[in-house]
Amino acid sequence: DDPIPSDAEIARAATEQPIEDVVSSLGLEPDDLDPYGDSVAKLTAETTRQLAERSTADARYVLVTGMTPTPRGEGKTVTNVGLAQAFDRLGKTAVAAIREPSLGPVFGLKGGAAGGGYSQVLPMEDINLHFTGDLHAVTAAHNVISATLDNHVHQGNELGVDPTEIVWPRAIDVNDRALRELVVGLGGSANGPPREDGFVLTAASELMAVLCLADGIADLKDRIGRIIVAYDADDDPVTVDDLGVTGAVAVLLRDAFRPNVVGTIEGTPAFVHGGPFANIAHGTNSIVADRVGGALADYVVTEAGFGADLGAEKFFDIVAPAAGIEPAAAALVVSVRALKYHGKDMWPVEFDTLEEPDVDAVRAGFENLDRHVAILEAFGVPVVVAVNRFPGDADDEVDAILDHCREGLGVRAAESTVYRDGGDGGIELATAIDDAVDEHDEPFEPIYDRDAPVAEKIETVATRVYGADGVTFTDDARADLDRLESIGLADAPVCLSKTPYSFSDDPSKNGVPEGWELTVRELRPSAGAGFVVALTGDVLTMPGLPSDPAALEIDLEGDGTVTGLF
Ligand SMILES: Nc1ncnc2c1ncn2[C@@H]1O[C@H](COP(=O)(O)OP(=O)(O)O)[C@@H](O)[C@H]1O
Ligand SMILES: O=COP(=O)(O)O
Ligand SMILES: [Mg+2]
């Protein structure tokens, strides 16, 4: 096959359709839009409000999830965009709903998150850079809370904030390990009092989760106000409402709350809104984008980050209930390289080795695929395996996967070539998904009772989703558990923060680790998001840059063209 041009070359060669034309297939009019240039728009506040309240009962929500990935990602976002294009080509009204990229990975290891090849959203460069400013808005809003909190303590500390019990970090949308742990307030009494602090990546800010889970402006403000930023000497929580800046923060998020809409390369509408990762946060786009999509289209193809153990579990247990939607099916994206990575039991990943044809290694990786299928079926969601074909994948490797799924597992599977062929490469997958939905008769069920205690929820996810024998809570985590009761989060949903490269909390254990316990070292109540984040292993809420960051390849030509984004 001829080599496929780079994502940026494909994007540049494509003709971007005016956004008004892209959304006309959904029945949206120009006065529903607040254009940001010719090919990007936000919905107006009124249209957002109206559509978010409309019924989504007639829509089929297809969740794109994946097996345990290599650090490069196995193609969920590419498949998400390609599948929406495929439904569009089949004559259905379809939208993609994906997250907006964080500059952290764009300038770091993973690169962009706007899809790829002939299944990407446009304008790819803008979307991967500043887009409509939402991440900058979340960063600014997050840091207004931080500054107000330190200012409150500096100005006399009327609320009695215990400076050693401040739990609200600072945020920035850059992968910068040097900012993980630092001391602020140095330089004497004019700047003090000094205290330890640290930065999280904006994608890990609780405000990002709040923005993505709020169902309207009133809910957004309620959630912002409930955020716990610190505790006082009596161990009582201090909230954003206590600081008196809920309104100011909501103002900074006013436009970020409105979904962004663009077109894919083939002109299929795509909502690109909100950007939490699925290892350090809940990992899906805003529920408003999902609801608006479901109000307008027959098919909403939406993604959840990393593997089904992370993004899909959180979509089913946190997002779908919050959005009032039910998944009709799940497309489980698998790749030859990820199967080999598990089959060869390698860590760290040697990508060159993964290029060598090795159908036996592919077969040895099936146990990881099988567990992800079982996880999705445990939620009562029909699964179709999408074999995302990369250049260089051998026919016998792809055929081995399809045969294993169809004969061995008895689940539908389709080869997807949407990267190379756009929507046409996803017709078989789209058809298989439709058949799976038509045939399915089991109810969708979250994995745990909504009113179960937090510790029980964590144990359920660890054992039934990750395959752990049990959970070990450190002394700190146990103390955090005890505090949940007093802040009314004793039975809140849980958002597990775990490495994406293993079912376990040890990234080096790929395949299907057995005979292990999940270690929870800390619980972070997210009263605004309405869940409790459980930190395991050494997951970082502020990733670092790799030895050769993507930033080294990115450049600006004299005519303003951006090169090196991928
Ligand atoms: N079939 C494919 N062929 C070549 N490159 C691909 C293919 N699918 C995905 N990619 C590339 O792999 C990387 C990860 O894809 P992405 O869709 O972002 O994965 P995920 O969303 O699962 O992290 C991106 O750079 C993307 O362009
Ligand atoms: O949160 C992670 O998302 P991807 O798996 O799409 O990189
Ligand atoms: Mg992605």
Side-chain angles (χ1 to χ4, degrees), residues 7 72-78 110 115-116 337 388-391 419 566:
D7 293 352
R72 284 194 187 154
E74 306 319 312
K76 291 184 300 297
T77 305
V78 163
K110 277 198 77 169
R337 76 176 175 196
N388 176 28
R389 185 154 196 164
F390 281 70
Y419 184 89
F566 70 96

Side-chain angles (χ1 to χ4, degrees), residues 210 213-215 218-227 322 527-530:
V210 162
L213 292 171
D215 63 14
D219 185 36
L220 178 68
K221 283 183 70 175
D222 286 348
R223 288 171 175 270
I224 293 169
R226 288 201 298 265
I227 291 174

Side-chain angles (χ1 to χ4, degrees), residues 35 37 41 57 78 100 105 115 139 163 170-171 174 190 205 218 254-255 328 387 390 396 415 450 464 466 470 527:
V78 163
E100 41 190 313
T139 304
R170 282 171 158 84
V174 179
S205 163
R254 180 194 66 173
D255 296 334
V387 183
F390 281 70
D396 65 342
E415 177 183 342
R450 285 194 62 72
R464 291 194 56 199
Y466 302 164

Side-chain angles (χ1 to χ4, degrees), residues 206 210 213 223 226 318 450 489 492-494 525-532:
E206 185 183 347
V210 162
L213 292 171
R223 288 171 175 270
R226 288 201 298 265
I318 298 174
R450 285 194 62 72
L489 289 172
V494 293
S526 295
F531 52 62
V532 173

Side-chain angles (χ1 to χ4, degrees), residues 13 145 221 245 266 437 439 477 500 527 560:
I145 294 172
K221 283 183 70 175
V245 291
E266 295 177 3
V437 175
E439 188 187 276

